Amino acid sequence: MKRVLIISPYFPPVNAADMQRVRMSLPYFGQFDWAAEIVMVDEHYTDLPQDELLLQSLPPDIVVHKVKALHKKYTSRVGLGSLALRSLRFYRKKVDKLLSAGGYDLVYFSTTQFPICALGPRWKKKFGVPYVIDMQDPWHSTYYQDKPKTQQPPKYWFSYRLNKYLEPVAVKKVGGLIAVSQKYIDTLKQRYPRISDVPSATITFGSFEPDMEIALKNADQFPALLDSNTINIVYVGRGGMDLHKAIEPVFKAFKSGMDEDADLGRIRFYFIGTSYAPAGMGEQTIMPLADQYGITDYVVETTDRISYYHALFTLTQANALFIPGSDDPQYTASKIYPYLMTGKPVLAIFNPDSPAIPVLKAYGVNCTFDYESVAQSALIAFLKDLAAGKTAPPTYNTQEIKKHSAKQMAAEQCRIFDAVVEK
C-alpha cells in the first residue's frame, strides 16, 4: 500500500472549512491502496472554534502528527496572524524528519493556508517525494484589485503581494493539481505553462452520510437558533458583499410578494455564522441589504460561527434552505452537499458562470437560478408555496448522489495520486 502524507494545518477538533475534504475522504483512502497520515497544527495554536464531535467521524487508527506554531498573541502585535506563516518553520522541521525516515510516496497539500505549499519544492528536491496541491480557493487572485478598500479582506496589501510571490514558487514544481473548480486549474496552467501536462482533476466536496447521523444523535447538545413559530429559510456560512447579487433578488421578491400575499410575513430569513471574526466581533454584511429593502424585521443575521454539527442540525430544523453564490464566477459553495443531505427544499442563486449551477441542476434542485436571469415571479412562487405549506420534499437524482459521494471523491483523489507517482 502506498503512503501519502497530508498537510492540513486545520484538522479536527478544529472546525474549519478547508479540512472537510480530507476528513471525509480518510475512511476510504485505504480502499484505493493509499494509507494516509495527517500533519496538522496543534489545535492549541489556533483560535478557530473547535468541535469535539468531528473526532467521531475519523477512522480510529488514523495517524496524526502535530506541529507547533508561533503564538498569535505575540505575532499579532506585528500584524502576523496567518496560521500558515506562524507554523511554517515547524512544518519544515517536522516533515523533514518524517520524509528522511522514508516510506512516503506523496505529499498532499489540502488547505487554504497556502503559504505552507511553498515547502513542496523543498521536500521534492531534498527527498524525491512529489506533491499534489488541492486548490479549494484561488491562491493568488486579482478579484479584489478593483474593489474599494472597504470590501477588501484585512491586510489585503500584504497578502496580495505574498501570494503573488509564493504561488509560482509552489506551483511550478507541483506534480498534480486538484481543485473544486476547473477554472482554478485552467488559470494556473495558463499562468505557468510548464505545468500544462501535470495530472489534474476537478473534484468537488462530497456528501458524507455519517455526518448527518452524528448531528442527529447529538441533537440535545445544540441550542435552538430558529423560531418555531415562523417559517424559516436558513443559510449557514460566510457572508460578504460578494453575495449581495445572489441575495438581492430574493429580498426584492420577498418584499414584492408580501404586497400580494400577507402570509409571506410568516417567513424569516436566517443567515448564521457570517463572519470569521472572533465571537462577538463580527461585522454584519447581510443586514444592510435587508435594511435597504425595508425587511429588517424578517431577517436575522448572526455573525458568530457555530460548530459543524450544530450547523447540520440547524439545517434539518429549517423549512427551506438558501445557498447564495459569490459574484466571483470561480466560486463554488462547498456546503452544497450537506444542504442536500437534509432533504429540505433548496433555493440556490449563483453567478451565471458558476460551476455550482450544472451540479445542482443535475442533482435535481429545481429552484437553481443565476442572478442575472432569475425571474421575480419564480422566486415569489417559491416563497408563496413555502408559506402555504405546498412545497413537497425534493426528489434527487440517485446517480448524482452516488457520483458525488465522499467515497467517490476519495477515489478520484487517489487516481490523481496514482498518476503523479507513476509519472
Side-chain angles (χ1 to χ4, degrees):
M1 186 172 287
K2 298 179 287 292
R3 296 173 71 194
V4 57
L5 195 61
I6 301 177
I7 310 300
S8 180
Y10 291 121
F11 196 70
V14 178
N15 181 23
D18 66 348
M19 62 81 191
Q20 300 291 7
R21 187 201 293 285
V22 170
R23 181 184 67 84
M24 294 177 184
S25 301
L26 284 174
Y28 309 109
F29 279 148
Q31 297 181 31
F32 306 106
D33 200 35
W34 281 92
E37 297 179 17
I38 307 296
V39 188
M40 65 175 286
V41 175
D42 189 300
E43 63 270 25
H44 296 100
Y45 294 93
T46 72
D47 55 5
L48 289 188
Q50 297 186 23
D51 185 352
E52 294 293 328
L53 293 178
L54 287 166
L55 297 172
Q56 296 184 17
S57 68
L58 301 179
D61 58 347
I62 186 66
V63 176
V64 179
H65 307 277
K66 295 186 179 183
V67 302
K68 296 180 180 180
L70 298 174
H71 286 279
K72 191 174 181 180
K73 64 181 179 180
Y74 301 121
T75 61
S76 60
R77 296 174 184 176
V78 293
L80 179 61
S82 163
L83 183 65
L85 298 179
R86 290 189 290 119
S87 63
L88 195 64
R89 70 183 181 93
F90 298 98
Y91 257 110
R92 183 181 64 185
K93 182 178 179 180
K94 180 66 175 182
V95 177
D96 274 7
K97 183 177 180 180
L98 291 171
L99 294 180
S100 65
Y104 295 99
D105 300 278
L106 185 73
V107 172
Y108 180 33
F109 294 93
S110 187
T111 178
T112 54
Q113 294 296 308
F114 289 119
I116 291 290
C117 301
L119 291 170
R122 169 191 173 83
W123 294 329
K124 181 178 180 181
K125 181 179 180 179
K126 189 170 183 177
F127 303 103
V129 180
Y131 62 97
V132 171
I133 297 178
D134 174 15
M135 303 296 294
Q136 298 183 26
D137 283 325
W139 185 349
H140 170 52
S141 171
T142 59
Y143 173 78
Y144 289 102
Q145 282 295 89
D146 60 351
K147 302 293 187 295
K149 288 187 177 181
T150 55
Q151 294 185 28
Q152 294 176 353
K155 303 182 182 71
Y156 176 69
W157 184 94
F158 173 75
S159 62
Y160 175 82
R161 284 155 181 80
L162 180 68
N163 293 341
K164 185 177 182 179
Y165 170 73
L166 289 181
E167 183 186 84
V169 171
V171 172
K172 287 180 181 179
K173 298 294 183 180
V174 74
L177 290 171
I178 290 171
V180 295
S181 169
Q182 183 60 39
K183 291 183 179 180
Y184 295 177
I185 294 174
D186 292 344
T187 296
L188 289 174
K189 290 191 172 184
Q190 291 168 7
R191 193 176 284 167
Y192 312 108
R194 69 174 63 182
I195 66 165
S196 60
D197 64 342
V198 302
S200 61
T202 302
I203 305 176
T204 62
F205 281 35
S207 58
F208 188 57
E209 292 185 0
D211 277 344
M212 193 58 70
E213 297 171 9
I214 293 172
L216 295 177
K217 184 174 67 175
N218 294 278
D220 58 348
Q221 298 186 28
F222 310 130
L225 301 180
L226 311 180
D227 185 344
S228 60
N229 297 314
T230 56
I231 297 171
N232 303 312
I233 301 176
V234 176
Y235 165 76
V236 181
R238 71 158 183 90
M241 299 289 289
D242 62 313
L243 302 183
H244 279 200
K245 285 188 177 180
I247 298 172
E248 191 169 6
V250 178
F251 283 0
K252 183 178 180 180
F254 177 68
K255 176 67 173 177
S256 177
M258 280 201 300
D259 294 337
E260 305 172 14
D261 187 344
D263 281 350
L264 264 64
R266 299 168 56 211
I267 292 176
R268 296 294 181 274
F269 295 92
Y270 283 84
F271 297 84
I272 300 170
T274 56
S275 174
Y276 291 113
M281 298 178 63
E283 181 178 345
Q284 291 185 328
T285 55
I286 310 302
M287 288 307 297
L289 192 60
D291 295 341
Q292 179 182 327
Y293 279 90
I295 58 171
T296 307
D297 293 341
Y298 304 92
V299 178
V300 178
E301 180 180 6
T302 305
T303 58
D304 291 353
R305 300 183 73 78
I306 59 176
S307 74
Y308 178 73
Y309 291 108
H310 192 182
L312 279 185
F313 177 72
T314 300
L315 294 178
T316 68
Q317 302 304 294
N319 299 97
L321 307 177
F322 179 34
I323 312 179
S326 170
D327 58 15
D328 182 350
Q330 298 185 94
Y331 174 84
T332 181
S334 61
K335 63 185 69 65
I336 285 177
Y337 300 104
Y339 275 58
L340 299 178
M341 282 195 300
T342 65
K344 298 291 182 177
V346 173
L347 171 64
I349 302 182
F350 284 84
N351 183 296
D353 295 322
S354 171
I357 292 178
V359 171
L360 285 165
K361 287 187 174 180
Y363 222 95
V365 181
N366 295 325
C367 291
T368 300
F369 308 100
D370 70 74
Y371 55 63
E372 289 187 359
S373 61
V374 59
Q376 286 288 293
S377 58
L379 296 178
I380 293 174
F382 176 88
L383 296 171
K384 284 185 175 181
D385 286 348
L386 189 66
K390 297 179 180 179
T391 305
T395 302
Y396 294 131
N397 183 328
T398 55
Q399 291 303 312
E400 287 296 315
I401 293 173
K402 182 178 180 181
K403 179 180 175 182
H404 292 98
S405 68
K407 180 179 179 179
Q408 184 60 33
M409 298 300 102
E412 293 185 21
Q413 289 169 76
C414 289
R415 276 196 282 270
I416 292 296
F417 297 170
D418 290 336
V420 171
V421 170
E422 290 169 5
K423 186 175 180 178

